[in-house]
Amino acid sequence: MRDTRESRLLLVLLIAIAFALITVDIRGGEESPVDGARQAAATVFGPVENGVSAAVDPIGNAIKAVRESGDRHTRISQLERENAALKAKLGSDDRNRSRVRQLDKMLKTAGAGQYGIKGAQVIGIGAAQGFSWTVTIDAGANDGLKRDMTVLNGDGLVGRVTTVGPSTSTVLLATDPDFTVGTRMENSDELGFATGQGDRPLSVQMLNGKAKVKKGDRMVTFGSQADKPFVPGVPIGTVVKVDPSDGGLTRTVHLEPYVGFTQLDVVGVVVEAPRTDPRDKVLPEPVKPKPTPTVTVTVTPNANGEYPAEGEGEDAAGGQNPPTGASRDPNAGNAQDDQE
């Protein structure tokens, strides 16, 4: 094309149209009127771009290698960036390994209780609803989640679903003051209601004011009608304090939850309740106390090959016992002198 007045005018017009489209696209955001055209272009030209990239990558890499071979400073900077990326990847791998362990533990818990769960990840703390003890998870209605479903992890009860969006949900944690769940004590089957108290242990009102409760007793969820919002048998926590009985109809105990609510990452939403109440099957095996070591005393003969008589020799503390008839009281001699 020759450099004429018409060609320059056409160039200016094309540039103006391009700037106008860019402005409309930026202001439109995700609802940009050109977004459809962009997606269509990506669909059509994406495979072509991938093919061209695969074809010219070796050439581009070779040219890049030649260009950078004489530039030591650039090469060092590149290596530093690669090392930083490798460290970030290693950190990510550590986190992934931690998530795998959490997921494995959660699956074992779900298997013990025969719970059908949907795995999710905590992606936010707090919620627009104003709850002080809530988290947001990356699963919602598209994943089969509904309001008032039980949420757990590998340690026990996390909370219940309160709000469900298409791809995210809000979970009210068991530590929230507005949270209440029915409890059942292991073995004795004493019932109660646990209420959240923030960062303090859960407060449990036992329905039997004369219930025999002691420190170390464990509790699970009692369950709800139609299994909503709580399925039965989910571990809640261990009794750490029992308030004195005042003769009332109820009795208050304090429960330390199994779940670490400040370290939540992988959780499971119970989308299918168990056919039968698992009772205490989901509780972990109690830790057995270590046996008391046995003290063995060995008596050795003296230089003459004789064993010391009873009461002589070394005492339990390793010191020398006084001869038979001698007093252990250091003031005994002084008292005898006074009598003389």
mmCIF file of all heavy atoms in Angstrom, residues 67-107:
data_model
loop_
_atom_site.group_PDB
_atom_site.id
_atom_site.type_symbol
_atom_site.label_atom_id
_atom_site.label_comp_id
_atom_site.label_asym_id
_atom_site.label_seq_id
_atom_site.Cartn_x
_atom_site.Cartn_y
_atom_site.Cartn_z
ATOM 1 N N ARG A 67 21.829 -16.400 22.916
ATOM 2 C CA ARG A 67 21.805 -15.009 23.336
ATOM 3 C C ARG A 67 22.286 -14.849 24.767
ATOM 4 O O ARG A 67 22.950 -13.872 25.109
ATOM 5 C CB ARG A 67 20.387 -14.456 23.183
ATOM 6 C CG ARG A 67 20.302 -12.965 23.513
ATOM 7 C CD ARG A 67 18.916 -12.420 23.207
ATOM 8 N NE ARG A 67 17.895 -13.022 24.023
ATOM 9 C CZ ARG A 67 16.937 -13.813 23.563
ATOM 10 N NH1 ARG A 67 16.896 -14.125 22.285
ATOM 11 N NH2 ARG A 67 16.034 -14.333 24.373
ATOM 12 N N GLU A 68 21.957 -15.847 25.667
ATOM 13 C CA GLU A 68 22.285 -15.719 27.080
ATOM 14 C C GLU A 68 23.622 -16.347 27.434
ATOM 15 O O GLU A 68 24.075 -16.226 28.573
ATOM 16 C CB GLU A 68 21.189 -16.373 27.934
ATOM 17 C CG GLU A 68 19.870 -15.645 27.857
ATOM 18 C CD GLU A 68 18.829 -16.279 28.754
ATOM 19 O OE1 GLU A 68 19.106 -17.372 29.271
ATOM 20 O OE2 GLU A 68 17.754 -15.685 28.927
ATOM 21 N N SER A 69 24.227 -17.053 26.474
ATOM 22 C CA SER A 69 25.477 -17.743 26.794
ATOM 23 C C SER A 69 26.583 -16.773 27.166
ATOM 24 O O SER A 69 27.449 -17.103 27.982
ATOM 25 C CB SER A 69 25.909 -18.595 25.590
ATOM 26 O OG SER A 69 26.126 -17.757 24.459
ATOM 27 N N GLY A 70 26.567 -15.592 26.616
ATOM 28 C CA GLY A 70 27.613 -14.635 26.932
ATOM 29 C C GLY A 70 27.217 -13.637 27.987
ATOM 30 O O GLY A 70 28.014 -12.742 28.303
ATOM 31 N N ASP A 71 26.027 -13.749 28.511
ATOM 32 C CA ASP A 71 25.549 -12.799 29.516
ATOM 33 C C ASP A 71 25.477 -13.507 30.860
ATOM 34 O O ASP A 71 24.465 -14.102 31.212
ATOM 35 C CB ASP A 71 24.172 -12.262 29.103
ATOM 36 C CG ASP A 71 23.787 -11.043 29.928
ATOM 37 O OD1 ASP A 71 24.409 -10.827 30.993
ATOM 38 O OD2 ASP A 71 22.862 -10.316 29.517
ATOM 39 N N ARG A 72 26.569 -13.469 31.626
ATOM 40 C CA ARG A 72 26.646 -14.207 32.886
ATOM 41 C C ARG A 72 25.656 -13.661 33.902
ATOM 42 O O ARG A 72 25.013 -14.416 34.637
ATOM 43 C CB ARG A 72 28.071 -14.113 33.432
ATOM 44 C CG ARG A 72 28.258 -14.875 34.723
ATOM 45 C CD ARG A 72 29.674 -14.758 35.208
ATOM 46 N NE ARG A 72 29.854 -15.474 36.459
ATOM 47 C CZ ARG A 72 30.976 -15.471 37.152
ATOM 48 N NH1 ARG A 72 32.025 -14.807 36.705
ATOM 49 N NH2 ARG A 72 31.056 -16.147 38.298
ATOM 50 N N HIS A 73 25.510 -12.338 33.950
ATOM 51 C CA HIS A 73 24.625 -11.733 34.950
ATOM 52 C C HIS A 73 23.181 -12.179 34.738
ATOM 53 O O HIS A 73 22.466 -12.520 35.680
ATOM 54 C CB HIS A 73 24.731 -10.213 34.869
ATOM 55 C CG HIS A 73 23.824 -9.507 35.821
ATOM 56 N ND1 HIS A 73 24.048 -9.466 37.179
ATOM 57 C CD2 HIS A 73 22.655 -8.816 35.613
ATOM 58 C CE1 HIS A 73 23.095 -8.779 37.779
ATOM 59 N NE2 HIS A 73 22.231 -8.383 36.854
ATOM 60 N N THR A 74 22.749 -12.203 33.486
ATOM 61 C CA THR A 74 21.386 -12.636 33.181
ATOM 62 C C THR A 74 21.196 -14.090 33.557
ATOM 63 O O THR A 74 20.149 -14.490 34.087
ATOM 64 C CB THR A 74 21.090 -12.424 31.690
ATOM 65 O OG1 THR A 74 21.308 -11.057 31.362
ATOM 66 C CG2 THR A 74 19.659 -12.827 31.360
ATOM 67 N N ARG A 75 22.230 -14.907 33.299
ATOM 68 C CA ARG A 75 22.133 -16.324 33.623
ATOM 69 C C ARG A 75 22.016 -16.542 35.125
ATOM 70 O O ARG A 75 21.231 -17.378 35.591
ATOM 71 C CB ARG A 75 23.377 -17.049 33.087
ATOM 72 C CG ARG A 75 23.383 -18.549 33.350
ATOM 73 C CD ARG A 75 22.172 -19.221 32.753
ATOM 74 N NE ARG A 75 22.213 -20.664 32.974
ATOM 75 C CZ ARG A 75 21.177 -21.465 32.794
ATOM 76 N NH1 ARG A 75 20.014 -20.959 32.395
ATOM 77 N NH2 ARG A 75 21.284 -22.763 33.007
ATOM 78 N N ILE A 76 22.769 -15.803 35.916
ATOM 79 C CA ILE A 76 22.687 -15.918 37.371
ATOM 80 C C ILE A 76 21.303 -15.512 37.866
ATOM 81 O O ILE A 76 20.711 -16.166 38.729
ATOM 82 C CB ILE A 76 23.785 -15.053 38.031
ATOM 83 C CG1 ILE A 76 25.167 -15.659 37.728
ATOM 84 C CG2 ILE A 76 23.572 -14.976 39.538
ATOM 85 C CD1 ILE A 76 26.309 -14.818 38.242
ATOM 86 N N SER A 77 20.780 -14.451 37.325
ATOM 87 C CA SER A 77 19.434 -14.011 37.720
ATOM 88 C C SER A 77 18.399 -15.076 37.396
ATOM 89 O O SER A 77 17.479 -15.331 38.176
ATOM 90 C CB SER A 77 19.082 -12.700 37.001
ATOM 91 O OG SER A 77 19.990 -11.684 37.349
ATOM 92 N N GLN A 78 18.576 -15.711 36.244
ATOM 93 C CA GLN A 78 17.639 -16.763 35.859
ATOM 94 C C GLN A 78 17.728 -17.940 36.827
ATOM 95 O O GLN A 78 16.715 -18.513 37.239
ATOM 96 C CB GLN A 78 17.921 -17.229 34.445
ATOM 97 C CG GLN A 78 16.979 -18.347 33.975
ATOM 98 C CD GLN A 78 17.324 -18.853 32.596
ATOM 99 O OE1 GLN A 78 18.245 -18.336 31.967
ATOM 100 N NE2 GLN A 78 16.600 -19.856 32.135
ATOM 101 N N LEU A 79 18.956 -18.327 37.205
ATOM 102 C CA LEU A 79 19.126 -19.420 38.147
ATOM 103 C C LEU A 79 18.519 -19.075 39.503
ATOM 104 O O LEU A 79 17.924 -19.933 40.168
ATOM 105 C CB LEU A 79 20.617 -19.743 38.309
ATOM 106 C CG LEU A 79 21.288 -20.394 37.094
ATOM 107 C CD1 LEU A 79 22.785 -20.532 37.333
ATOM 108 C CD2 LEU A 79 20.664 -21.747 36.796
ATOM 109 N N GLU A 80 18.658 -17.835 39.930
ATOM 110 C CA GLU A 80 18.064 -17.422 41.198
ATOM 111 C C GLU A 80 16.551 -17.539 41.142
ATOM 112 O O GLU A 80 15.908 -17.979 42.098
ATOM 113 C CB GLU A 80 18.487 -15.992 41.524
ATOM 114 C CG GLU A 80 19.965 -15.851 41.897
ATOM 115 C CD GLU A 80 20.353 -14.406 42.135
ATOM 116 O OE1 GLU A 80 19.540 -13.514 41.790
ATOM 117 O OE2 GLU A 80 21.460 -14.163 42.653
ATOM 118 N N ARG A 81 15.982 -17.144 40.015
ATOM 119 C CA ARG A 81 14.524 -17.259 39.873
ATOM 120 C C ARG A 81 14.097 -18.723 39.878
ATOM 121 O O ARG A 81 13.082 -19.085 40.479
ATOM 122 C CB ARG A 81 14.059 -16.575 38.585
ATOM 123 C CG ARG A 81 14.165 -15.058 38.607
ATOM 124 C CD ARG A 81 13.386 -14.452 37.443
ATOM 125 N NE ARG A 81 13.932 -14.868 36.161
ATOM 126 C CZ ARG A 81 14.882 -14.212 35.504
ATOM 127 N NH1 ARG A 81 15.415 -13.108 36.036
ATOM 128 N NH2 ARG A 81 15.313 -14.639 34.329
ATOM 129 N N GLU A 82 14.877 -19.577 39.210
ATOM 130 C CA GLU A 82 14.551 -21.000 39.195
ATOM 131 C C GLU A 82 14.651 -21.616 40.583
ATOM 132 O O GLU A 82 13.821 -22.449 40.973
ATOM 133 C CB GLU A 82 15.470 -21.729 38.219
ATOM 134 C CG GLU A 82 15.216 -21.376 36.756
ATOM 135 C CD GLU A 82 16.219 -22.038 35.829
ATOM 136 O OE1 GLU A 82 17.160 -22.685 36.348
ATOM 137 O OE2 GLU A 82 16.066 -21.905 34.599
ATOM 138 N N ASN A 83 15.655 -21.208 41.353
ATOM 139 C CA ASN A 83 15.793 -21.718 42.719
ATOM 140 C C ASN A 83 14.621 -21.275 43.585
ATOM 141 O O ASN A 83 14.110 -22.052 44.401
ATOM 142 C CB ASN A 83 17.112 -21.234 43.336
ATOM 143 C CG ASN A 83 18.313 -21.926 42.733
ATOM 144 O OD1 ASN A 83 18.182 -23.007 42.177
ATOM 145 N ND2 ASN A 83 19.469 -21.298 42.822
ATOM 146 N N ALA A 84 14.215 -20.018 43.425
ATOM 147 C CA ALA A 84 13.072 -19.524 44.199
ATOM 148 C C ALA A 84 11.811 -20.291 43.836
ATOM 149 O O ALA A 84 11.008 -20.656 44.706
ATOM 150 C CB ALA A 84 12.878 -18.027 43.950
ATOM 151 N N ALA A 85 11.634 -20.569 42.540
ATOM 152 C CA ALA A 85 10.465 -21.336 42.108
ATOM 153 C C ALA A 85 10.522 -22.756 42.652
ATOM 154 O O ALA A 85 9.500 -23.329 43.052
ATOM 155 C CB ALA A 85 10.383 -21.354 40.581
ATOM 156 N N LEU A 86 11.727 -23.342 42.705
ATOM 157 C CA LEU A 86 11.869 -24.695 43.230
ATOM 158 C C LEU A 86 11.543 -24.741 44.722
ATOM 159 O O LEU A 86 10.867 -25.662 45.191
ATOM 160 C CB LEU A 86 13.294 -25.184 42.998
ATOM 161 C CG LEU A 86 13.622 -26.598 43.492
ATOM 162 C CD1 LEU A 86 12.713 -27.619 42.830
ATOM 163 C CD2 LEU A 86 15.082 -26.930 43.226
ATOM 164 N N LYS A 87 12.014 -23.737 45.476
ATOM 165 C CA LYS A 87 11.697 -23.681 46.904
ATOM 166 C C LYS A 87 10.195 -23.547 47.116
ATOM 167 O O LYS A 87 9.624 -24.176 48.010
ATOM 168 C CB LYS A 87 12.426 -22.507 47.558
ATOM 169 C CG LYS A 87 13.933 -22.698 47.653
ATOM 170 C CD LYS A 87 14.599 -21.494 48.302
ATOM 171 C CE LYS A 87 16.108 -21.678 48.391
ATOM 172 N NZ LYS A 87 16.771 -20.489 49.003
ATOM 173 N N ALA A 88 9.565 -22.709 46.290
ATOM 174 C CA ALA A 88 8.109 -22.549 46.408
ATOM 175 C C ALA A 88 7.405 -23.864 46.103
ATOM 176 O O ALA A 88 6.438 -24.235 46.763
ATOM 177 C CB ALA A 88 7.624 -21.457 45.461
ATOM 178 N N LYS A 89 7.910 -24.608 45.120
ATOM 179 C CA LYS A 89 7.314 -25.893 44.770
ATOM 180 C C LYS A 89 7.484 -26.899 45.900
ATOM 181 O O LYS A 89 6.568 -27.661 46.229
ATOM 182 C CB LYS A 89 7.939 -26.433 43.492
ATOM 183 C CG LYS A 89 7.306 -27.735 42.984
ATOM 184 C CD LYS A 89 7.924 -28.168 41.677
ATOM 185 C CE LYS A 89 7.223 -29.419 41.152
ATOM 186 N NZ LYS A 89 7.356 -30.555 42.063
ATOM 187 N N LEU A 90 8.673 -26.908 46.515
ATOM 188 C CA LEU A 90 8.901 -27.813 47.635
ATOM 189 C C LEU A 90 7.973 -27.490 48.794
ATOM 190 O O LEU A 90 7.433 -28.383 49.447
ATOM 191 C CB LEU A 90 10.362 -27.738 48.085
ATOM 192 C CG LEU A 90 11.390 -28.331 47.109
ATOM 193 C CD1 LEU A 90 12.797 -28.086 47.614
ATOM 194 C CD2 LEU A 90 11.146 -29.809 46.912
ATOM 195 N N GLY A 91 7.791 -26.205 49.050
ATOM 196 C CA GLY A 91 6.854 -25.809 50.100
ATOM 197 C C GLY A 91 5.454 -26.271 49.781
ATOM 198 O O GLY A 91 4.726 -26.753 50.645
ATOM 199 N N SER A 92 5.080 -26.138 48.526
ATOM 200 C CA SER A 92 3.754 -26.586 48.109
ATOM 201 C C SER A 92 3.626 -28.085 48.264
ATOM 202 O O SER A 92 2.586 -28.597 48.666
ATOM 203 C CB SER A 92 3.505 -26.162 46.652
ATOM 204 O OG SER A 92 2.268 -26.652 46.192
ATOM 205 N N ASP A 93 4.693 -28.824 47.968
ATOM 206 C CA ASP A 93 4.650 -30.275 48.123
ATOM 207 C C ASP A 93 4.469 -30.664 49.586
ATOM 208 O O ASP A 93 3.750 -31.602 49.906
ATOM 209 C CB ASP A 93 5.934 -30.894 47.564
ATOM 210 C CG ASP A 93 5.974 -30.821 46.043
ATOM 211 O OD1 ASP A 93 4.907 -30.604 45.447
ATOM 212 O OD2 ASP A 93 7.068 -30.962 45.468
ATOM 213 N N ASP A 94 5.150 -29.946 50.503
ATOM 214 C CA ASP A 94 4.981 -30.210 51.932
ATOM 215 C C ASP A 94 3.534 -29.998 52.344
ATOM 216 O O ASP A 94 2.971 -30.773 53.114
ATOM 217 C CB ASP A 94 5.905 -29.307 52.759
ATOM 218 C CG ASP A 94 7.366 -29.685 52.582
ATOM 219 O OD1 ASP A 94 7.625 -30.830 52.173
ATOM 220 O OD2 ASP A 94 8.230 -28.833 52.837
ATOM 221 N N ARG A 95 2.959 -28.925 51.829
ATOM 222 C CA ARG A 95 1.564 -28.648 52.167
ATOM 223 C C ARG A 95 0.649 -29.723 51.601
ATOM 224 O O ARG A 95 -0.308 -30.142 52.253
ATOM 225 C CB ARG A 95 1.169 -27.275 51.615
ATOM 226 C CG ARG A 95 -0.210 -26.814 52.063
ATOM 227 C CD ARG A 95 -0.499 -25.418 51.567
ATOM 228 N NE ARG A 95 -1.805 -24.953 52.019
ATOM 229 C CZ ARG A 95 -2.357 -23.802 51.654
ATOM 230 N NH1 ARG A 95 -1.696 -22.988 50.860
ATOM 231 N NH2 ARG A 95 -3.542 -23.465 52.094
ATOM 232 N N ASN A 96 0.963 -30.172 50.393
ATOM 233 C CA ASN A 96 0.149 -31.229 49.794
ATOM 234 C C ASN A 96 0.250 -32.521 50.594
ATOM 235 O O ASN A 96 -0.735 -33.234 50.752
ATOM 236 C CB ASN A 96 0.589 -31.465 48.344
ATOM 237 C CG ASN A 96 0.182 -30.328 47.425
ATOM 238 O OD1 ASN A 96 -0.762 -29.592 47.711
ATOM 239 N ND2 ASN A 96 0.908 -30.161 46.332
ATOM 240 N N ARG A 97 1.460 -32.824 51.081
ATOM 241 C CA ARG A 97 1.611 -34.026 51.899
ATOM 242 C C ARG A 97 0.786 -33.923 53.177
ATOM 243 O O ARG A 97 0.191 -34.900 53.635
ATOM 244 C CB ARG A 97 3.091 -34.249 52.217
ATOM 245 C CG ARG A 97 3.881 -34.855 51.074
ATOM 246 C CD ARG A 97 5.245 -35.335 51.546
ATOM 247 N NE ARG A 97 6.111 -34.208 51.861
ATOM 248 C CZ ARG A 97 6.944 -33.635 50.981
ATOM 249 N NH1 ARG A 97 6.995 -34.094 49.738
ATOM 250 N NH2 ARG A 97 7.717 -32.633 51.346
ATOM 251 N N SER A 98 0.763 -32.710 53.762
ATOM 252 C CA SER A 98 -0.053 -32.505 54.960
ATOM 253 C C SER A 98 -1.527 -32.708 54.638
ATOM 254 O O SER A 98 -2.260 -33.327 55.419
ATOM 255 C CB SER A 98 0.174 -31.095 55.516
ATOM 256 O OG SER A 98 -0.702 -30.827 56.578
ATOM 257 N N ARG A 99 -1.960 -32.233 53.487
ATOM 258 C CA ARG A 99 -3.362 -32.403 53.104
ATOM 259 C C ARG A 99 -3.693 -33.868 52.840
ATOM 260 O O ARG A 99 -4.798 -34.321 53.148
ATOM 261 C CB ARG A 99 -3.660 -31.561 51.864
ATOM 262 C CG ARG A 99 -3.725 -30.072 52.155
ATOM 263 C CD ARG A 99 -3.930 -29.263 50.906
ATOM 264 N NE ARG A 99 -4.067 -27.846 51.202
ATOM 265 C CZ ARG A 99 -4.106 -26.896 50.269
ATOM 266 N NH1 ARG A 99 -4.012 -27.219 49.002
ATOM 267 N NH2 ARG A 99 -4.233 -25.635 50.629
ATOM 268 N N VAL A 100 -2.742 -34.584 52.289
ATOM 269 C CA VAL A 100 -2.970 -36.007 52.049
ATOM 270 C C VAL A 100 -3.154 -36.739 53.372
ATOM 271 O O VAL A 100 -4.035 -37.594 53.516
ATOM 272 C CB VAL A 100 -1.801 -36.611 51.243
ATOM 273 C CG1 VAL A 100 -1.888 -38.131 51.231
ATOM 274 C CG2 VAL A 100 -1.820 -36.083 49.815
ATOM 275 N N ARG A 101 -2.341 -36.382 54.376
ATOM 276 C CA ARG A 101 -2.485 -37.012 55.690
ATOM 277 C C ARG A 101 -3.843 -36.664 56.303
ATOM 278 O O ARG A 101 -4.504 -37.535 56.885
ATOM 279 C CB ARG A 101 -1.352 -36.551 56.618
ATOM 280 C CG ARG A 101 0.009 -37.145 56.262
ATOM 281 C CD ARG A 101 1.005 -36.903 57.380
ATOM 282 N NE ARG A 101 1.260 -35.484 57.579
ATOM 283 C CZ ARG A 101 2.243 -34.814 56.990
ATOM 284 N NH1 ARG A 101 3.061 -35.433 56.151
ATOM 285 N NH2 ARG A 101 2.411 -33.532 57.230
ATOM 286 N N GLN A 102 -4.249 -35.391 56.187
ATOM 287 C CA GLN A 102 -5.549 -34.995 56.730
ATOM 288 C C GLN A 102 -6.682 -35.729 56.023
ATOM 289 O O GLN A 102 -7.633 -36.187 56.663
ATOM 290 C CB GLN A 102 -5.735 -33.484 56.571
ATOM 291 C CG GLN A 102 -4.784 -32.641 57.404
ATOM 292 C CD GLN A 102 -5.022 -31.167 57.185
ATOM 293 O OE1 GLN A 102 -6.151 -30.678 57.257
ATOM 294 N NE2 GLN A 102 -3.962 -30.430 56.911
ATOM 295 N N LEU A 103 -6.574 -35.832 54.705
ATOM 296 C CA LEU A 103 -7.617 -36.508 53.937
ATOM 297 C C LEU A 103 -7.690 -37.981 54.305
ATOM 298 O O LEU A 103 -8.780 -38.542 54.477
ATOM 299 C CB LEU A 103 -7.349 -36.345 52.442
ATOM 300 C CG LEU A 103 -8.354 -36.995 51.490
ATOM 301 C CD1 LEU A 103 -9.741 -36.419 51.702
ATOM 302 C CD2 LEU A 103 -7.926 -36.815 50.042
ATOM 303 N N ASP A 104 -6.534 -38.620 54.466
ATOM 304 C CA ASP A 104 -6.511 -40.038 54.839
ATOM 305 C C ASP A 104 -7.154 -40.251 56.202
ATOM 306 O O ASP A 104 -7.942 -41.186 56.393
ATOM 307 C CB ASP A 104 -5.060 -40.530 54.844
ATOM 308 C CG ASP A 104 -4.971 -42.015 55.166
ATOM 309 O OD1 ASP A 104 -5.480 -42.821 54.384
ATOM 310 O OD2 ASP A 104 -4.398 -42.361 56.208
ATOM 311 N N LYS A 105 -6.853 -39.386 57.150
ATOM 312 C CA LYS A 105 -7.425 -39.501 58.490
ATOM 313 C C LYS A 105 -8.935 -39.272 58.449
ATOM 314 O O LYS A 105 -9.700 -39.962 59.132
ATOM 315 C CB LYS A 105 -6.759 -38.492 59.419
ATOM 316 C CG LYS A 105 -7.118 -38.651 60.887
ATOM 317 C CD LYS A 105 -6.312 -37.686 61.745
ATOM 318 C CE LYS A 105 -6.640 -37.866 63.226
ATOM 319 N NZ LYS A 105 -5.863 -36.910 64.072
ATOM 320 N N MET A 106 -9.366 -38.313 57.633
ATOM 321 C CA MET A 106 -10.793 -38.021 57.531
ATOM 322 C C MET A 106 -11.551 -39.185 56.895
ATOM 323 O O MET A 106 -12.660 -39.532 57.326
ATOM 324 C CB MET A 106 -11.014 -36.747 56.722
ATOM 325 C CG MET A 106 -12.471 -36.317 56.621
ATOM 326 S SD MET A 106 -12.634 -34.731 55.763
ATOM 327 C CE MET A 106 -12.131 -35.177 54.101
ATOM 328 N N LEU A 107 -10.946 -39.810 55.890
ATOM 329 C CA LEU A 107 -11.591 -40.951 55.249
ATOM 330 C C LEU A 107 -11.722 -42.125 56.208
ATOM 331 O O LEU A 107 -12.708 -42.860 56.174
ATOM 332 C CB LEU A 107 -10.802 -41.359 53.997
ATOM 333 C CG LEU A 107 -10.841 -40.366 52.828
ATOM 334 C CD1 LEU A 107 -9.953 -40.850 51.691
ATOM 335 C CD2 LEU A 107 -12.273 -40.157 52.337
#
